[in-house]
Amino acid sequence: YTPGGLTAANLLGYVGAVNAHDLTLHQGGGYTVNDVIGKDGVEQVFENELRGSPHLEKFEVDSRGRIVTVLQNQKAKAGNNIQLSLDVNIQTAAQNALAQGIAEVRTRTDTSPTGGNKLFAGNGGAAVVLDARDGSVVAMASSPTYPVDQFTNGIPANLFSTYTQPGSNFPLLNRATQGLYPPGSTFKLFTSVAALEHPQVTAAGATFDDHGCFTYANRVFSNAGKTANGVVNLDQALTVSSDLYFYNMGLLFWNAYSGDTARGIKPNPAAGYGIQETARAFGLGQPTGVGLPQEASGRIPDLAFKQAVNKTNPDPYSREWLIGDNANVATGQGDVLVTPLQMAAAYAAFANGG
């Protein structure tokens, strides 16, 4: 524990005064407006287990308010303890490493076409450590965070308001479970597994001559900085993180399922999405089930997603699964979104053999 209650604050959560919503949600639970209740994190999830019962006395009094008889004297009872899988030393190390990483990012210049050569904002991040043997959470850090002790006796409304304004970067958000991010190259693991499970794709993409960029279906695909890696196989493509190799894998998967190469459209994706199926098998696109409040599902896009999000778009192609969509998925770009916990759990599953 650190002064100010900053250790795993977003994971552990806090307690606060019962409000009308809490009373409605916990009807019959014996709560009164004088009670406190778990509002977030572990405090909220295990409220029923952590909550004790107060000292309760009932008296019979006469007309002058004098006690005649003690009707009930129920002693206070402490709630249960909860033992977590967290390691406080690793948690502290994760928080420190995350803070150092964010500080380092803020010293770097965004040289991308849309970056304007400005310093990266480094508004926040997350770090997750799992025990790959059983999936238990050893550390879960989110930045920015907040001091739990400010909530203990009731946080002033104006201070709470500052925590919910965009300028604060939302410290109450647990980015490990609620933050959604494009995974980029970390997603290439799942494209690789998918390729190995589909012989027709593996054979076609056994090697690839990476020139740094290529054009397909009137679209230019390129590596970062258009770096050329030469002829690479799967092992080498992972080693150098060749975007082009995995873009090509996405194209091969699309072609393997009867795509219309003339227009770059896949009219019948019901035949299967090899990469998406593998990603979902590793738990992406759905909550991990860790049980923390408001865990995000993430997103592994497909035709159904495009049709739903573009249902009012007058462009009919916006509701088709294009070949470029598959290439984007293969490299963890486009509409792919994951939480840090999902990605940690997926890699743990890979490390422990499934």
Side-chain angles (χ1 to χ4, degrees):
Y1 180 79
T2 56
L6 290 172
T7 301
N10 298 84
L11 171 61
L12 299 178
Y14 61 92
V15 297
V18 169
N19 57 31
H21 174 73
D22 297 323
L23 292 175
T24 301
L25 194 62
H26 295 272
Q27 278 185 339
Y31 288 91
T32 72
V33 293
N34 297 317
D35 289 327
V36 295
I37 193 171
K39 295 285 189 177
D40 196 18
V42 171
E43 289 283 4
Q44 180 181 356
V45 173
F46 292 102
E47 166 65 21
N48 292 337
E49 288 76 15
L50 292 169
R51 183 193 181 206
S53 56
H55 182 198
L56 177 64
E57 289 184 294
K58 291 184 179 180
F59 305 100
E60 180 184 347
V61 298
D62 60 21
S63 59
R64 295 184 178 182
R66 293 175 297 191
I67 296 175
V68 176
T69 306
V70 177
L71 300 176
Q72 183 180 2
N73 187 358
Q74 177 181 301
K75 293 183 178 180
K77 182 180 178 182
N80 295 314
N81 293 326
I82 298 294
Q83 181 173 335
L84 303 178
S85 55
L86 290 184
D87 183 308
V88 68
N89 294 321
I90 298 176
Q91 175 70 30
T92 301
Q95 291 185 184
N96 291 340
L98 178 58
Q100 292 169 11
I102 290 175
E104 169 64 20
V105 164
R106 290 172 177 168
T107 68
R108 297 186 180 183
T109 302
D110 184 355
T111 58
S112 67
T114 59
N117 289 319
K118 296 180 180 179
L119 294 177
F120 285 106
N123 289 332
V128 177
V129 181
L130 302 183
D131 184 336
R133 295 170 297 184
D134 60 12
S136 58
V137 178
V138 179
M140 181 183 290
S142 181
S143 179
T145 187
Y146 63 92
V148 171
D149 59 359
Q150 290 183 343
F151 291 81
T152 304
N153 297 313
I155 186 170
N158 62 335
L159 181 56
F160 182 82
S161 179
T162 64
Y163 286 151
T164 59
Q165 298 301 315
S168 70
N169 295 322
F170 303 109
L172 300 181
L173 178 73
N174 185 352
R175 283 169 164 78
T177 59
Q178 298 171 306
L180 289 170
Y181 307 97
S185 291
T186 60
F187 191 85
K188 292 172 182 174
L189 168 67
F190 312 111
T191 301
S192 301
V193 173
L196 294 172
E197 292 178 341
H198 291 76
Q200 71 275 36
V201 173
T202 306
T207 60
F208 179 77
D209 194 356
D210 180 351
H211 292 290
C213 65
F214 69 79
T215 301
Y216 193 95
N218 297 320
R219 177 179 166 184
V220 177
F221 298 87
S222 63
N223 292 326
K226 296 186 178 180
T227 301
N229 295 300
V231 177
V232 290
N233 59 19
L234 177 58
D235 292 352
Q236 295 162 334
L238 282 170
T239 301
V240 299
S241 195
S242 167
D243 288 337
L244 284 191
Y245 180 93
F246 288 96
Y247 281 135
N248 187 58
M249 276 295 179
L251 306 180
L252 292 174
F253 265 104
W254 191 90
N255 286 331
Y257 294 114
S258 303
D260 179 353
T261 54
R263 294 189 303 157
I265 298 172
K266 183 178 181 182
N268 182 24
Y273 299 88
I275 300 171
Q276 289 92 328
E277 289 168 356
T278 296
R280 291 181 180 125
F282 274 94
L284 302 181
Q286 58 192 319
T288 65
V290 69
L292 293 172
Q294 300 175 330
E295 182 185 8
S297 297
R299 185 168 66 210
I300 301 299
D302 53 19
L303 178 65
F305 161 76
K306 288 199 71 178
Q307 289 177 335
V309 78
N310 293 304
K311 60 183 178 181
T312 61
N313 192 322
D315 180 4
Y317 285 160
S318 70
R319 293 181 293 279
E320 299 279 5
W321 187 252
L322 308 179
I323 195 165
D325 293 323
N326 232 51
N328 276 336
V329 168
T331 52
Q333 301 175 36
D335 294 309
V336 180
L337 291 174
V338 301
T339 69
L341 180 61
Q342 283 178 324
M343 191 57 76
Y347 267 75
F350 179 78
N352 67 26

